[in-house]
C-alpha cells in the first residue's frame, strides 16, 4: 500500500508540472456538475464545501444542515467526527456537547457532568465518550450561535445527532462528496477510542477508500494523517491553524508549529503524506491589528508548487467574521460583502473553500467562473 501511494504521488506531481507548463487545468471529476479536480494539483473549478453543512441556516452537524448545503449546491459536506462510548463515530465539532445539544435539559444525564482536559484545556460539560449511541440519539441539536443566528433557533430541539454512516448515506443519495475531520485524535487515542480505525472501516465498508472516491480526510494533527496515508488512498488534507501547533506534536514535546508547516520546506514535508492543505484563510490574506486586509501571502502559490491543493476555512457572511474592508454597517450580525471576500480568494487561485452559507459561495463561484470565461 505504501509503495503504491508513492507512485500515485509521483504521477500527480508529473500531472501538475505538465498542467503548469501548458497553462491548462485538466481534471478528474469528483463532484457533481462543475467540480473538476486532480487531488494534489490545482483545481479547475474551486470546490464549495458545506462547512458543518449549512450552519448559516440550520444548527450545525445535523442531517438538515447537510441536506440544505447539498441543495444549495455544495460539492462536499463536512462532518467533524468524535466517538461515542461504544466506538461509533458521530458528527459533532467537539466531544463536549453542552453548546450544541440539549443534554443539560436531560435530568437522567445530570450525573454525567464532568471536567476533563482535552488538548491541554480543562473543560466542564457532557462528553460524547460518556454516552452510548443509543443515549446520544435521545438528545437534540441546538444552535451554537443563537445571538448571531437567531433564526436558526426555531430548529432547536428538532434534529438528532447523526452518525458518520448517516452522513455518508445522505451524501450518497445526492452523489456529493464527504470531507470528514477527526476531532481530537490524540485525546481519543488516550482514552482507548481511536478515531482512525472506525473511520477507515466505515470508508471501506462504503467503498470510499480509493483514490477516486469523493472523499477528503482532514485533520489539524499530523501523526494520524501520516498513518492514514499508509492505509487508505483517499486524498488527505493537513489543516493549518492561524496560530499554535498541531496537538499531537505538542503532546510529543515537539516545538514545530503551524508557522513552520507553511514554509516552503514545511509544505514539501506535508506533500509526502497529504494531498492538500486547509489553512485558516488569514494565512492567505492576513489582516492588520485593526482587522483590515494586508497583501496576500505566497501560500497558495507555494502550496501549488509543492503539489498541494488549497482549501481555506472558514467563510461566513456575518460582519463579525469579515475583514473590516467588507463589513456593511455596524451591526456585527448582519451580512457584509461576503461575495467580495469570495471574489478575492477565488482570484488568488484557491482550489476550494469551507462555507457556512454554501449558496452564496456557489453564487460567487458562478460570477468568478463567468468572468474568467
Ligand atoms: O475543517 C476545516 C474547518 O472546519 C476547520 O475548522 O474548527 O470549523 O473544524 P473547524
Ligand atoms: Ca472541521
Amino acid at each position: 500500500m505504501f509503495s503504491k501511494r508513492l507512485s500515485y504521488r509521483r504521477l500527480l506531481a508529473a500531472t501538475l508540472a505538465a498542467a503548469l507548463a501548458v497553462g491548462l487545468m485538466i481534471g478528474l471529476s469528483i463532484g457533481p456538475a462543475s467540480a473538476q479536480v486532480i487531488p494534489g494539483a490545482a483545481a479547475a473549478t474551486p470546490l464549495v464545501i458545506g462547512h458543518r453543512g449549512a450552519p448559516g441556516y440550520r444548527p450545525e452537524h445535523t442531517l438538515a444542515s447537510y441536506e440544505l448545503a447539498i441543495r444549495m449546491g455544495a460539492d462536499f459536506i463536512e462532518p467533524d467526527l468524535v466517538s461515542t462510548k461504544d466506538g461509533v463515530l458521530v458528527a459533532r465539532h467537539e466531544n463536549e456537547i453542552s453548546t450544541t445539544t440539549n443534554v443539560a435539559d436531560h435530568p437522567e444525564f445530570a450525573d454525567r457532568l464532568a471536567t476533563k482536559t482535552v488538548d491541554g484545556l480543562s473543560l466542564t460539560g457532557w462528553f460524547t465518550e460518556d454516552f452510548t449511541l443509543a443515549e446520544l440519539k435521545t438528545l437534540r441539536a441546538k444552535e451554537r450561535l443563537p445571538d448571531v443566528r437567531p433564526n436558526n433557533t426555531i430548529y432547536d430541539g428538532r434534529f438528532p445527532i447523526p452518525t458518520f454512516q448517516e452522513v455518508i448515506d445522505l451524501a450518497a443519495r445526492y452523489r456529493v462528496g464527504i470531507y470528514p475531520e477527526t476531532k481530537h485524535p490524540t485525546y481519543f487515542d488516550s482514552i482507548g477510542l481511536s478515531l482512525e480505525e472506525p473511520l477507515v472501516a466505515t470508508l471501506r465498508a462504503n467503498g470510499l477508500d480509493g483514490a477516486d472516491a469523493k472523499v477528503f480526510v482532514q485533520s489539524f494533527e499530523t501523526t494520524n494523517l501520516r498513518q492514514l496515508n499508509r492505509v487508505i488512498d483517499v486524498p488527505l488534507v493537513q489543516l493549518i491553524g492561524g496560530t499554535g501547533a498541531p496537538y499531537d506534536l505538542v503532546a510529543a514535546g515537539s516545538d514545530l508549529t503551524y508557522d513552520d508547516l507553511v514554509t516552503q520546506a514545511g509544505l514539501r514535508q506535508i506533500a509526502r503524506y497529504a494531498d492538500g492543505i486547509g489553512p485558516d484563510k488569514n494565512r492567505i490574506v492576513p489582516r492588520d491589528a485593526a482587522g483590515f486586509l494586508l497583501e496576500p501571502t505566497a501560500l497558495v502559490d507555494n502550496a501549488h508548487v509543492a503539489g498541494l491543493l488549497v482549501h481555506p476555512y472558514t467563510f461566513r457572511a456575518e460582519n463579525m467574521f469579515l475583514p473590516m474592508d467588507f463589513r456593511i454597517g455596524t451591526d456585527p450580525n448582519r451580512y457584509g460583502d461576503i461575495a467580495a471576500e469570495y471574489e478575492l480568494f477565488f482570484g488568488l487561485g484557491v482550489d476550494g473553500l469551507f462555507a457556512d452559507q454554501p449558496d452564496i459561495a456557489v453564487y460567487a463561484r458562478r460570477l468568478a467562473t463567468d468572468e474568467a470565461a
Side-chain angles (χ1 to χ4, degrees):
M1 184 65 74
F2 191 47
S3 60
K4 178 182 171 191
R5 186 74 178 173
L6 287 175
S7 63
Y8 166 65
R9 292 194 192 292
R10 278 198 296 272
L11 174 64
L12 293 175
T15 305
L16 173 62
L20 290 174
V22 299
L24 293 174
M25 297 300 178
I26 56 175
L28 166 69
S29 176
I30 64 167
S34 58
Q36 297 284 319
V37 64
I38 304 169
T45 303
L47 300 172
V48 171
I49 304 150
H51 177 248
R52 313 183 197 177
Y57 310 110
R58 298 288 186 277
E60 68 185 37
H61 290 312
T62 59
L63 291 181
S65 183
Y66 296 128
E67 185 164 19
L68 184 59
I70 295 167
R71 290 180 178 276
M72 287 178 160
D75 305 296
F76 281 73
I77 51 175
E78 191 229 7
D80 294 323
L81 299 175
V82 295
S83 182
T84 67
K85 185 178 184 177
D86 42 352
V88 180
L89 296 180
V90 294
R92 287 289 91 191
H93 184 261
E94 302 91 2
N95 53 327
E96 198 290 293
I97 53 175
S98 61
T99 307
T100 62
T101 75
N102 62 359
V103 63
D105 300 332
H106 282 250
E108 70 275 25
F109 297 136
D111 62 353
R112 309 275 176 100
L113 183 68
T115 297
K116 304 189 184 197
T117 301
V118 180
D119 296 358
L121 291 175
S122 179
L123 301 171
T124 297
W126 287 264
F127 295 82
T128 57
E129 65 268 24
D130 295 332
F131 293 77
T132 63
L133 177 63
E135 290 171 334
L136 273 184
K137 281 290 188 182
T138 68
L139 306 180
R140 292 294 178 267
K142 68 177 185 181
E143 171 57 39
R144 174 190 293 277
L145 304 171
D147 296 333
V148 181
R149 296 167 174 169
N151 291 344
N152 292 3
T153 62
I154 69 169
Y155 302 103
D156 284 1
R158 297 186 183 277
F159 306 132
I161 296 174
T163 64
F164 182 35
Q165 183 62 56
E166 289 169 335
V167 179
I168 290 174
D169 292 343
L170 177 72
R173 200 177 315 138
Y174 287 96
R175 302 174 66 189
V176 301
I178 56 166
Y179 208 126
E181 177 188 354
T182 52
K183 284 294 188 189
H184 313 299
T186 293
Y187 170 79
F188 275 104
D189 278 352
S190 76
I191 60 171
L193 288 169
S194 180
L195 302 171
E196 279 65 37
E197 288 80 358
L199 172 74
V200 170
T202 306
L203 291 175
R204 283 190 176 144
N206 289 275
L208 295 173
D209 57 325
D212 60 344
K214 293 181 183 177
V215 178
F216 289 92
V217 173
Q218 49 166 339
S219 181
F220 279 107
E221 295 194 6
T222 64
T223 307
N224 59 335
L225 290 178
R226 291 177 188 276
Q227 292 168 345
L228 286 168
N229 179 44
R230 298 187 195 106
V231 296
I232 53 174
D233 274 342
V234 302
L236 305 176
V237 174
Q238 177 68 64
L239 296 174
I240 296 173
T243 58
Y247 187 71
D248 58 312
L249 300 183
V250 173
S254 166
D255 57 6
L256 202 73
T257 67
Y258 288 122
D259 285 350
D260 299 319
L261 293 187
V262 295
T263 64
Q264 287 174 287
L267 293 168
R268 283 195 295 273
Q269 286 301 311
I270 292 172
R272 294 170 69 91
Y273 62 86
D275 304 87
I277 58 170
D280 182 316
K281 64 186 181 184
N282 293 345
R283 288 196 175 273
I284 295 175
V285 189
R287 303 180 192 185
D288 67 17
F292 288 94
L293 294 172
L294 298 169
E295 286 298 309
T297 68
L299 180 55
V300 174
D301 289 344
N302 288 344
H304 285 166
V305 167
L308 294 164
L309 293 163
V310 182
H311 295 166
Y313 68 90
T314 298
F315 291 80
R316 296 173 161 130
E318 294 88 354
N319 272 331
M320 69 165 61
F321 302 115
L322 289 168
M324 297 300 291
D325 314 63
F326 299 143
R327 293 187 187 188
I328 299 174
T330 56
D331 179 350
N333 301 331
R334 71 151 286 174
Y335 282 10
D337 193 357
I338 179 74
E341 188 179 47
Y342 283 129
E343 183 181 17
L344 172 64
F345 279 81
F346 287 140
L348 291 169
V350 302
D351 305 292
L353 40 75
F354 292 86
D356 272 14
Q357 289 93 0
D359 54 339
I360 308 176
V362 169
Y363 163 76
R365 179 176 65 182
R366 190 178 309 125
L367 288 184
T369 305
D370 288 349
E371 283 172 11

